[in-house]
């Protein structure tokens, strides 16, 4: 029976590892003798020339010409050439785990190797290590994807990020930069007297926000617990404990939707500062963004969603009511009844009646204002109805001391003066509580342990909570949150090929196998009755990739869709959609093409099915 080429390659590489062992060489030694990184040698060549150095990393190229060989080794700082002369490379030595020139045929691209020798410049001018000692540190039994083509499939990029960062320097640099951002945030807060604490991720009562939680069970305690949707209430307990400035950089879990700017698991920095109010945090957050911009990136201007954002300029500060009035002419502060407020919404063509005047204002702001807040803007004065944890404004208790950060039309953080009146807060929570919707994430749940702590007295307190991923999207110019999360959440799966290689029953590991089809193949299979929807409710999610090709007289778009509900417990991917030489409305043209072809075909062919089209995920290339 014919085997897959990958299986044959993998077997051949594994056989090389056995050959090395037969020669007394360990293909997986426990340590390296590295003395220098690639970038250090490249940057300091003038002082290192002629000296002996040892570098180690992944073998990314290999070219052998008789008595000469050239290779490139990649470490976390970059690539450096290894130059090998047969008469200079020391012979194989099992005691030293040293690989001789004759045994270099046992090496493959992707192996982790170590080279020791003099730092030189070749006749062609390339800085190199003239190798005297060569060691294999790790034998890679699976080949890397083609280095020139890279990973083309979006799902493979997300599932195998380690390959993406190996092949794409921009991706590698991006995630390294995000790590530096987190370090810069820490240094910024530490320098201002904040103390970092670890707060629990598993919590007996989720709180600090309104989001649907993940629930789990702790066997040792015999009780259910929740993954944190917020760490706010624990930071406030630390304020009660006497620590005036505290923060945590933690993980958050919200069992809600996934789209280009939301992810069920994410990171956030949350602070609490005693004896201050929300105006203190307006200054703190503005200074923090500016600090990260300058410290990590060395600039203050960034291109975010097609807009030039300047973090060096003072941020605009405006109340929610004023912004709505400025845009629509409607001042919700003058509304006397909820009927009057909903009538104003109807005049704005917002057909979503709200239960209170404050919620009507918030809805008007969400629909008419948010997307147009491009330059960094601090929006304050939220209605008390949507802000139960915030302190009401003394001058107008219909509103609270709260502000949100908006950049390039995105909400990037929520901050307020904390409600420290325990009796008032408990009453607010009780009014909102509905036992039947307890874990639906629609209101702040009752946390009596926190109320007790508050009753001992918490000084005036305020906190900020910017999302790390949102900040990373802004500073690195990404439009999809998956591109700033190294390990995005995905449906688990084992490919049929891996099931064969590892000798496992795929269904016992991951019962989901996604199918990918070209649109023409999908049409044919449906028409012939070979495949048909498993469920009556189908969800179609478009994925659009926009290619900049201005030199060719326009731009291009390609895309695929994911259909949920077509097969039980799996996703059907249909590809083959494209437009060429379109105008600035690339995304709309692509979505129109998908709607007029696939969506209409499904609705016509399976008329008893309900088809819902989700918001598209859009990637820009080139």
């Amino acid at each position: 029976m014919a085997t897959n080429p990958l299986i044959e390659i993998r077997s051949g590489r594994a056989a090389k590892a056995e050959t090395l062992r037969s020669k007394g060489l360990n293909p997986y030694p426990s340590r390296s003798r590295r003395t220098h990184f690639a970038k250090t040698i490249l940057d300091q060549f003038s002082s290192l020339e002629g000296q002996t150095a040892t570098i180690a990393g992944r073998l990314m190229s290999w070219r052998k010409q008789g008595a000469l060989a050239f290779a490139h080794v990649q470490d976390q700082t970059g690539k450096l050439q290894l130059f090998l002369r047969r008469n200079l490379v020391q012979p194989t030595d099992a005691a030293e785990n040293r690989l001789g020139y004759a045994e270099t045929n046992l090496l493959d691209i992707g192996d982790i190797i170590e080279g020791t020798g003099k730092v030189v410049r070749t006749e062609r001018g390339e800085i190199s290590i003239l190798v005297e000692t060569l060691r294999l540190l790790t034998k890679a039994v699976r080949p890397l994807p083609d280095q020139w083509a890279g990973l083309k499939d979006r799902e493979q990029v997300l599932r195998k990020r380690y390959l993406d960062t190996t092949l794409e320097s921009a991706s590698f640099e991006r995630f390294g930069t995000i790590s530096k951002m987190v370090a810069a945030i820490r240094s910024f807060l530490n320098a201002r007297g904040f103390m970092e604490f670890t707060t629990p991720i598993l919590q007996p009562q989720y709180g600090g926000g309104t989001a649907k939680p993940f629930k789990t069970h702790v066997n040792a305690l015999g009780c259910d617990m929740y993954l944190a949707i917020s760490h706010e209430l624990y930071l406030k307990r630390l304020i009660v404990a006497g620590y005036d400035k505290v923060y945590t950089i933690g993980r958050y879990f919200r069992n809600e939707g996934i789209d280009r700017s939301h992810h069920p698991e994410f990171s956030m920095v949350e602070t609490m500062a005693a004896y201050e109010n929300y105006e203190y945090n307006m200054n703190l957050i503005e200074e923090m963004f500016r600090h990260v911009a300058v410290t990590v990136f060395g600039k203050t201007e960034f291109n975010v969603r097609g807009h030039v954002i300047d973090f060096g300029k003072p941020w605009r500060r405006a109340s929610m009511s004023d912004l709505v009035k400025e845009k629509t002419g409607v001042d919700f502060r003058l509304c006397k009844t909820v009927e009057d407020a909903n009538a104003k919404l109807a005049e704005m063509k917002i057909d979503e009646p709200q239960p209170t005047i404050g919620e009507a204002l918030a809805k008007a702001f969400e629909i008419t204002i948010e997307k147009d807040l491009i330059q960094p803007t601090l929006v304050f004065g939220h209605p008390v109805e949507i802000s139960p944890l915030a302190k009401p404004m003394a001058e107008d208790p219909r509103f609270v001391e709260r502000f949100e950060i908006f950049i390039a039309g995105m909400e990037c953080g929520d901050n307020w003066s904390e409600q420290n009146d325990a009796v008032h807060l408990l009453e607010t929570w009780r009014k909102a509580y509905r036992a039947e919707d307890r874990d639906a994430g629609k209101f702040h749940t009752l946390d009596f342990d926190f109320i007790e702590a508050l009753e001992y007295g918490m000084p005036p307190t305020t906190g900020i909570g910017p999302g790390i991923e949102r900040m990373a999207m802004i500073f690195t110019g990404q439009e999809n949150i998956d591109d700033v999360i190294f390990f995005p959440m995905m449906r688990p799966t084992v490919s049929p090929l891996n099931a064969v290689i590892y000798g496992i029953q795929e269904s016992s590991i991951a019962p989901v196998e996604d199918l990918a089809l070209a649109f023409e193949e999908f049409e044919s299979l449906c028409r012939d009755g070979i495949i048909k929807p498993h469920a009556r409710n189908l969800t179609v999610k478009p994925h659009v990739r926009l290619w900049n090709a201005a030199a060719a007289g326009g731009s291009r778009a390609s895309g695929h869709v994911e259909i949920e509900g077509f097969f039980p417990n799996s996703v059907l991917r249909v590809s083959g959609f494209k437009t060429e030489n379109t105008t600035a409305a690339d995304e709309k043209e692509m979505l129109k093409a998908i709607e007029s072809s696939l969506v209409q075909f499904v609705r016509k062919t399976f008329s008893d099915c309900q088809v819902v089209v989700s918001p598209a995920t859009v990637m820009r290339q080139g």
Side-chain angles (χ1 to χ4, degrees), residues 11-28 92 94 97 99 102-108 136 139:
S11 297
R13 288 186 170 213
K16 288 182 178 181
E18 289 307 311
T19 299
L20 288 163
R21 288 189 176 99
S22 70
K23 294 177 178 292
L25 299 171
N26 181 3
Y28 304 97
T92 299
N97 210 48
L99 202 64
E103 280 67 46
T104 56
N105 64 322
L106 297 174
L107 295 178
D108 290 291
L136 175 66
K139 184 65 190 172

PDB file of all heavy atoms in Angstrom, residues 11-28 92 94 97 99 102-108 136 139:
ATOM      1  N   SER A  11      10.050   8.701   8.435  1.00  0.00           N
ATOM      2  CA  SER A  11      10.739   7.429   8.688  1.00  0.00           C
ATOM      3  C   SER A  11      12.213   7.539   8.337  1.00  0.00           C
ATOM      4  O   SER A  11      13.081   7.016   9.054  1.00  0.00           O
ATOM      5  CB  SER A  11      10.080   6.314   7.868  1.00  0.00           C
ATOM      6  OG  SER A  11       8.739   6.118   8.260  1.00  0.00           O
ATOM      7  N   GLY A  12      12.523   8.224   7.225  1.00  0.00           N
ATOM      8  CA  GLY A  12      13.917   8.399   6.832  1.00  0.00           C
ATOM      9  C   GLY A  12      14.708   9.191   7.843  1.00  0.00           C
ATOM     10  O   GLY A  12      15.866   8.853   8.150  1.00  0.00           O
ATOM     11  N   ARG A  13      14.104  10.236   8.399  1.00  0.00           N
ATOM     12  CA  ARG A  13      14.803  11.045   9.395  1.00  0.00           C
ATOM     13  C   ARG A  13      14.994  10.260  10.699  1.00  0.00           C
ATOM     14  O   ARG A  13      16.033  10.359  11.355  1.00  0.00           O
ATOM     15  CB  ARG A  13      14.040  12.339   9.648  1.00  0.00           C
ATOM     16  CG  ARG A  13      14.122  13.325   8.483  1.00  0.00           C
ATOM     17  CD  ARG A  13      13.463  14.648   8.845  1.00  0.00           C
ATOM     18  NE  ARG A  13      13.725  15.672   7.841  1.00  0.00           N
ATOM     19  CZ  ARG A  13      13.849  16.960   8.113  1.00  0.00           C
ATOM     20  NH1 ARG A  13      13.747  17.379   9.357  1.00  0.00           N
ATOM     21  NH2 ARG A  13      14.081  17.832   7.154  1.00  0.00           N
ATOM     22  N   ALA A  14      13.971   9.507  11.082  1.00  0.00           N
ATOM     23  CA  ALA A  14      14.099   8.685  12.293  1.00  0.00           C
ATOM     24  C   ALA A  14      15.209   7.652  12.119  1.00  0.00           C
ATOM     25  O   ALA A  14      15.952   7.345  13.064  1.00  0.00           O
ATOM     26  CB  ALA A  14      12.768   8.010  12.604  1.00  0.00           C
ATOM     27  N   ALA A  15      15.340   7.135  10.892  1.00  0.00           N
ATOM     28  CA  ALA A  15      16.409   6.163  10.620  1.00  0.00           C
ATOM     29  C   ALA A  15      17.777   6.813  10.756  1.00  0.00           C
ATOM     30  O   ALA A  15      18.741   6.171  11.224  1.00  0.00           O
ATOM     31  CB  ALA A  15      16.227   5.585   9.217  1.00  0.00           C
ATOM     32  N   LYS A  16      17.894   8.086  10.355  1.00  0.00           N
ATOM     33  CA  LYS A  16      19.162   8.798  10.521  1.00  0.00           C
ATOM     34  C   LYS A  16      19.520   8.931  12.000  1.00  0.00           C
ATOM     35  O   LYS A  16      20.694   8.828  12.377  1.00  0.00           O
ATOM     36  CB  LYS A  16      19.087  10.175   9.868  1.00  0.00           C
ATOM     37  CG  LYS A  16      19.080  10.143   8.344  1.00  0.00           C
ATOM     38  CD  LYS A  16      19.049  11.554   7.770  1.00  0.00           C
ATOM     39  CE  LYS A  16      19.084  11.532   6.254  1.00  0.00           C
ATOM     40  NZ  LYS A  16      19.068  12.898   5.663  1.00  0.00           N
ATOM     41  N   ALA A  17      18.496   9.174  12.821  1.00  0.00           N
ATOM     42  CA  ALA A  17      18.745   9.262  14.262  1.00  0.00           C
ATOM     43  C   ALA A  17      19.292   7.937  14.789  1.00  0.00           C
ATOM     44  O   ALA A  17      20.212   7.909  15.629  1.00  0.00           O
ATOM     45  CB  ALA A  17      17.469   9.648  15.004  1.00  0.00           C
ATOM     46  N   GLU A  18      18.755   6.818  14.283  1.00  0.00           N
ATOM     47  CA  GLU A  18      19.254   5.508  14.709  1.00  0.00           C
ATOM     48  C   GLU A  18      20.677   5.269  14.208  1.00  0.00           C
ATOM     49  O   GLU A  18      21.497   4.656  14.905  1.00  0.00           O
ATOM     50  CB  GLU A  18      18.311   4.412  14.198  1.00  0.00           C
ATOM     51  CG  GLU A  18      16.970   4.378  14.906  1.00  0.00           C
ATOM     52  CD  GLU A  18      17.124   4.305  16.415  1.00  0.00           C
ATOM     53  OE1 GLU A  18      17.896   3.456  16.907  1.00  0.00           O
ATOM     54  OE2 GLU A  18      16.487   5.134  17.109  1.00  0.00           O
ATOM     55  N   THR A  19      20.973   5.760  12.997  1.00  0.00           N
ATOM     56  CA  THR A  19      22.339   5.632  12.476  1.00  0.00           C
ATOM     57  C   THR A  19      23.324   6.387  13.362  1.00  0.00           C
ATOM     58  O   THR A  19      24.437   5.897  13.652  1.00  0.00           O
ATOM     59  CB  THR A  19      22.407   6.170  11.034  1.00  0.00           C
ATOM     60  OG1 THR A  19      21.528   5.412  10.209  1.00  0.00           O
ATOM     61  CG2 THR A  19      23.819   6.074  10.478  1.00  0.00           C
ATOM     62  N   LEU A  20      22.947   7.580  13.793  1.00  0.00           N
ATOM     63  CA  LEU A  20      23.791   8.353  14.702  1.00  0.00           C
ATOM     64  C   LEU A  20      24.036   7.590  15.997  1.00  0.00           C
ATOM     65  O   LEU A  20      25.166   7.539  16.512  1.00  0.00           O
ATOM     66  CB  LEU A  20      23.131   9.708  14.989  1.00  0.00           C
ATOM     67  CG  LEU A  20      23.137  10.713  13.834  1.00  0.00           C
ATOM     68  CD1 LEU A  20      22.126  11.826  14.078  1.00  0.00           C
ATOM     69  CD2 LEU A  20      24.533  11.307  13.652  1.00  0.00           C
ATOM     70  N   ARG A  21      22.989   6.973  16.519  1.00  0.00           N
ATOM     71  CA  ARG A  21      23.141   6.210  17.761  1.00  0.00           C
ATOM     72  C   ARG A  21      24.090   5.029  17.551  1.00  0.00           C
ATOM     73  O   ARG A  21      24.875   4.678  18.448  1.00  0.00           O
ATOM     74  CB  ARG A  21      21.770   5.725  18.237  1.00  0.00           C
ATOM     75  CG  ARG A  21      20.874   6.824  18.785  1.00  0.00           C
ATOM     76  CD  ARG A  21      19.625   6.246  19.446  1.00  0.00           C
ATOM     77  NE  ARG A  21      18.798   7.285  20.052  1.00  0.00           N
ATOM     78  CZ  ARG A  21      17.714   7.810  19.484  1.00  0.00           C
ATOM     79  NH1 ARG A  21      17.335   7.394  18.270  1.00  0.00           N
ATOM     80  NH2 ARG A  21      17.028   8.745  20.105  1.00  0.00           N
ATOM     81  N   SER A  22      24.001   4.415  16.362  1.00  0.00           N
ATOM     82  CA  SER A  22      24.877   3.266  16.094  1.00  0.00           C
ATOM     83  C   SER A  22      26.347   3.673  16.054  1.00  0.00           C
ATOM     84  O   SER A  22      27.241   2.843  16.242  1.00  0.00           O
ATOM     85  CB  SER A  22      24.486   2.610  14.768  1.00  0.00           C
ATOM     86  OG  SER A  22      24.818   3.445  13.663  1.00  0.00           O
ATOM     87  N   LYS A  23      26.612   4.960  15.804  1.00  0.00           N
ATOM     88  CA  LYS A  23      27.976   5.490  15.784  1.00  0.00           C
ATOM     89  C   LYS A  23      28.392   6.015  17.157  1.00  0.00           C
ATOM     90  O   LYS A  23      29.460   6.620  17.305  1.00  0.00           O
ATOM     91  CB  LYS A  23      28.092   6.608  14.745  1.00  0.00           C
ATOM     92  CG  LYS A  23      27.903   6.133  13.297  1.00  0.00           C
ATOM     93  CD  LYS A  23      27.950   7.321  12.344  1.00  0.00           C
ATOM     94  CE  LYS A  23      27.819   6.864  10.894  1.00  0.00           C
ATOM     95  NZ  LYS A  23      28.995   6.088  10.430  1.00  0.00           N
ATOM     96  N   GLY A  24      27.502   5.827  18.141  1.00  0.00           N
ATOM     97  CA  GLY A  24      27.817   6.282  19.490  1.00  0.00           C
ATOM     98  C   GLY A  24      27.465   7.734  19.744  1.00  0.00           C
ATOM     99  O   GLY A  24      27.851   8.299  20.773  1.00  0.00           O
ATOM    100  N   LEU A  25      26.748   8.369  18.794  1.00  0.00           N
ATOM    101  CA  LEU A  25      26.370   9.782  18.933  1.00  0.00           C
ATOM    102  C   LEU A  25      24.937   9.900  19.448  1.00  0.00           C
ATOM    103  O   LEU A  25      24.049   9.163  19.020  1.00  0.00           O
ATOM    104  CB  LEU A  25      26.492  10.491  17.581  1.00  0.00           C
ATOM    105  CG  LEU A  25      27.890  10.505  16.952  1.00  0.00           C
ATOM    106  CD1 LEU A  25      27.821  11.024  15.529  1.00  0.00           C
ATOM    107  CD2 LEU A  25      28.828  11.376  17.784  1.00  0.00           C
ATOM    108  N   ASN A  26      24.745  10.831  20.346  1.00  0.00           N
ATOM    109  CA  ASN A  26      23.410  11.075  20.911  1.00  0.00           C
ATOM    110  C   ASN A  26      22.718  12.164  20.098  1.00  0.00           C
ATOM    111  O   ASN A  26      23.171  13.305  20.098  1.00  0.00           O
ATOM    112  CB  ASN A  26      23.534  11.500  22.379  1.00  0.00           C
ATOM    113  CG  ASN A  26      22.168  11.743  23.028  1.00  0.00           C
ATOM    114  OD1 ASN A  26      21.131  11.538  22.408  1.00  0.00           O
ATOM    115  ND2 ASN A  26      22.194  12.179  24.276  1.00  0.00           N
ATOM    116  N   PRO A  27      21.632  11.834  19.395  1.00  0.00           N
ATOM    117  CA  PRO A  27      20.957  12.865  18.600  1.00  0.00           C
ATOM    118  C   PRO A  27      20.172  13.869  19.447  1.00  0.00           C
ATOM    119  O   PRO A  27      19.644  14.836  18.912  1.00  0.00           O
ATOM    120  CB  PRO A  27      20.008  12.070  17.705  1.00  0.00           C
ATOM    121  CG  PRO A  27      20.004  10.677  18.176  1.00  0.00           C
ATOM    122  CD  PRO A  27      21.030  10.518  19.250  1.00  0.00           C
ATOM    123  N   TYR A  28      20.124  13.644  20.776  1.00  0.00           N
ATOM    124  CA  TYR A  28      19.382  14.538  21.665  1.00  0.00           C
ATOM    125  C   TYR A  28      20.161  14.782  22.959  1.00  0.00           C
ATOM    126  O   TYR A  28      19.706  14.412  24.055  1.00  0.00           O
ATOM    127  CB  TYR A  28      17.995  13.954  21.987  1.00  0.00           C
ATOM    128  CG  TYR A  28      17.172  13.664  20.746  1.00  0.00           C
ATOM    129  CD1 TYR A  28      17.121  12.384  20.204  1.00  0.00           C
ATOM    130  CD2 TYR A  28      16.463  14.683  20.108  1.00  0.00           C
ATOM    131  CE1 TYR A  28      16.381  12.120  19.049  1.00  0.00           C
ATOM    132  CE2 TYR A  28      15.719  14.433  18.964  1.00  0.00           C
ATOM    133  CZ  TYR A  28      15.683  13.147  18.436  1.00  0.00           C
ATOM    134  OH  TYR A  28      14.957  12.895  17.300  1.00  0.00           O
ATOM    135  N   THR A  92      34.528  12.725  13.560  1.00  0.00           N
ATOM    136  CA  THR A  92      33.506  12.234  14.482  1.00  0.00           C
ATOM    137  C   THR A  92      34.148  11.695  15.760  1.00  0.00           C
ATOM    138  O   THR A  92      35.150  10.970  15.714  1.00  0.00           O
ATOM    139  CB  THR A  92      32.679  11.119  13.816  1.00  0.00           C
ATOM    140  OG1 THR A  92      32.040  11.653  12.660  1.00  0.00           O
ATOM    141  CG2 THR A  92      31.634  10.558  14.769  1.00  0.00           C
ATOM    142  N   ALA A  94      32.616  10.144  19.426  1.00  0.00           N
ATOM    143  CA  ALA A  94      31.450   9.808  20.242  1.00  0.00           C
ATOM    144  C   ALA A  94      31.542  10.413  21.636  1.00  0.00           C
ATOM    145  O   ALA A  94      30.541  10.855  22.207  1.00  0.00           O
ATOM    146  CB  ALA A  94      31.301   8.285  20.324  1.00  0.00           C
ATOM    147  N   ASN A  97      30.524  13.795  21.373  1.00  0.00           N
ATOM    148  CA  ASN A  97      29.281  13.895  20.609  1.00  0.00           C
ATOM    149  C   ASN A  97      29.470  14.811  19.401  1.00  0.00           C
ATOM    150  O   ASN A  97      28.602  15.630  19.070  1.00  0.00           O
ATOM    151  CB  ASN A  97      28.127  14.396  21.488  1.00  0.00           C
ATOM    152  CG  ASN A  97      26.786  13.838  21.027  1.00  0.00           C
ATOM    153  OD1 ASN A  97      26.664  12.630  20.787  1.00  0.00           O
ATOM    154  ND2 ASN A  97      25.801  14.699  20.873  1.00  0.00           N
ATOM    155  N   LEU A  99      30.267  15.648  15.384  1.00  0.00           N
ATOM    156  CA  LEU A  99      29.900  15.146  14.065  1.00  0.00           C
ATOM    157  C   LEU A  99      30.986  15.518  13.067  1.00  0.00           C
ATOM    158  O   LEU A  99      31.314  16.695  12.901  1.00  0.00           O
ATOM    159  CB  LEU A  99      28.569  15.766  13.639  1.00  0.00           C
ATOM    160  CG  LEU A  99      27.736  15.042  12.583  1.00  0.00           C
ATOM    161  CD1 LEU A  99      27.262  13.685  13.092  1.00  0.00           C
ATOM    162  CD2 LEU A  99      26.528  15.902  12.221  1.00  0.00           C
ATOM    163  N   ALA A 102      32.182  13.909   7.145  1.00  0.00           N
ATOM    164  CA  ALA A 102      31.586  12.808   6.379  1.00  0.00           C
ATOM    165  C   ALA A 102      30.173  12.475   6.866  1.00  0.00           C
ATOM    166  O   ALA A 102      29.349  11.957   6.106  1.00  0.00           O
ATOM    167  CB  ALA A 102      32.472  11.568   6.465  1.00  0.00           C
ATOM    168  N   GLU A 103      29.876  12.763   8.132  1.00  0.00           N
ATOM    169  CA  GLU A 103      28.561  12.437   8.703  1.00  0.00           C
ATOM    170  C   GLU A 103      27.548  13.571   8.551  1.00  0.00           C
ATOM    171  O   GLU A 103      26.416  13.452   9.034  1.00  0.00           O
ATOM    172  CB  GLU A 103      28.698  12.080  10.194  1.00  0.00           C
ATOM    173  CG  GLU A 103      29.179  10.654  10.468  1.00  0.00           C
ATOM    174  CD  GLU A 103      30.601  10.440  10.013  1.00  0.00           C
ATOM    175  OE1 GLU A 103      31.461  11.312  10.303  1.00  0.00           O
ATOM    176  OE2 GLU A 103      30.867   9.433   9.346  1.00  0.00           O
ATOM    177  N   THR A 104      27.942  14.659   7.907  1.00  0.00           N
ATOM    178  CA  THR A 104      26.982  15.762   7.742  1.00  0.00           C
ATOM    179  C   THR A 104      25.815  15.369   6.830  1.00  0.00           C
ATOM    180  O   THR A 104      24.797  16.062   6.807  1.00  0.00           O
ATOM    181  CB  THR A 104      27.672  17.022   7.168  1.00  0.00           C
ATOM    182  OG1 THR A 104      28.320  16.689   5.937  1.00  0.00           O
ATOM    183  CG2 THR A 104      28.678  17.585   8.161  1.00  0.00           C
ATOM    184  N   ASN A 105      25.971  14.245   6.092  1.00  0.00           N
ATOM    185  CA  ASN A 105      24.830  13.784   5.286  1.00  0.00           C
ATOM    186  C   ASN A 105      23.682  13.278   6.154  1.00  0.00           C
ATOM    187  O   ASN A 105      22.589  13.013   5.664  1.00  0.00           O
ATOM    188  CB  ASN A 105      25.282  12.670   4.327  1.00  0.00           C
ATOM    189  CG  ASN A 105      25.760  11.425   5.073  1.00  0.00           C
ATOM    190  OD1 ASN A 105      26.415  11.529   6.116  1.00  0.00           O
ATOM    191  ND2 ASN A 105      25.452  10.261   4.531  1.00  0.00           N
ATOM    192  N   LEU A 106      23.924  13.145   7.461  1.00  0.00           N
ATOM    193  CA  LEU A 106      22.873  12.739   8.397  1.00  0.00           C
ATOM    194  C   LEU A 106      22.095  13.938   8.926  1.00  0.00           C
ATOM    195  O   LEU A 106      21.161  13.778   9.721  1.00  0.00           O
ATOM    196  CB  LEU A 106      23.480  11.960   9.566  1.00  0.00           C
ATOM    197  CG  LEU A 106      24.172  10.636   9.181  1.00  0.00           C
ATOM    198  CD1 LEU A 106      24.854  10.028  10.398  1.00  0.00           C
ATOM    199  CD2 LEU A 106      23.161   9.664   8.576  1.00  0.00           C
ATOM    200  N   LEU A 107      22.485  15.138   8.501  1.00  0.00           N
ATOM    201  CA  LEU A 107      21.759  16.348   8.904  1.00  0.00           C
ATOM    202  C   LEU A 107      20.620  16.636   7.939  1.00  0.00           C
ATOM    203  O   LEU A 107      20.666  16.292   6.765  1.00  0.00           O
ATOM    204  CB  LEU A 107      22.707  17.550   8.939  1.00  0.00           C
ATOM    205  CG  LEU A 107      23.836  17.530   9.965  1.00  0.00           C
ATOM    206  CD1 LEU A 107      24.699  18.779   9.809  1.00  0.00           C
ATOM    207  CD2 LEU A 107      23.272  17.453  11.388  1.00  0.00           C
ATOM    208  N   ASP A 108      19.583  17.318   8.454  1.00  0.00           N
ATOM    209  CA  ASP A 108      18.447  17.748   7.638  1.00  0.00           C
ATOM    210  C   ASP A 108      18.053  19.167   8.027  1.00  0.00           C
ATOM    211  O   ASP A 108      18.283  19.600   9.181  1.00  0.00           O
ATOM    212  CB  ASP A 108      17.243  16.829   7.859  1.00  0.00           C
ATOM    213  CG  ASP A 108      17.452  15.448   7.273  1.00  0.00           C
ATOM    214  OD1 ASP A 108      17.485  15.341   6.032  1.00  0.00           O
ATOM    215  OD2 ASP A 108      17.592  14.483   8.056  1.00  0.00           O
ATOM    216  N   LEU A 136      25.320  17.898  16.713  1.00  0.00           N
ATOM    217  CA  LEU A 136      23.869  17.841  16.540  1.00  0.00           C
ATOM    218  C   LEU A 136      23.224  17.884  17.922  1.00  0.00           C
ATOM    219  O   LEU A 136      23.555  17.071  18.790  1.00  0.00           O
ATOM    220  CB  LEU A 136      23.461  16.561  15.801  1.00  0.00           C
ATOM    221  CG  LEU A 136      21.955  16.330  15.653  1.00  0.00           C
ATOM    222  CD1 LEU A 136      21.319  17.385  14.752  1.00  0.00           C
ATOM    223  CD2 LEU A 136      21.680  14.926  15.102  1.00  0.00           C
ATOM    224  N   LYS A 139      17.648  16.096  16.581  1.00  0.00           N
ATOM    225  CA  LYS A 139      17.285  15.593  15.259  1.00  0.00           C
ATOM    226  C   LYS A 139      15.793  15.817  15.045  1.00  0.00           C
ATOM    227  O   LYS A 139      14.956  15.283  15.780  1.00  0.00           O
ATOM    228  CB  LYS A 139      17.599  14.097  15.145  1.00  0.00           C
ATOM    229  CG  LYS A 139      17.331  13.519  13.761  1.00  0.00           C
ATOM    230  CD  LYS A 139      18.247  14.133  12.733  1.00  0.00           C
ATOM    231  CE  LYS A 139      17.853  13.771  11.322  1.00  0.00           C
ATOM    232  NZ  LYS A 139      18.639  14.535  10.336  1.00  0.00           N
TER     233      LYS A 139
END
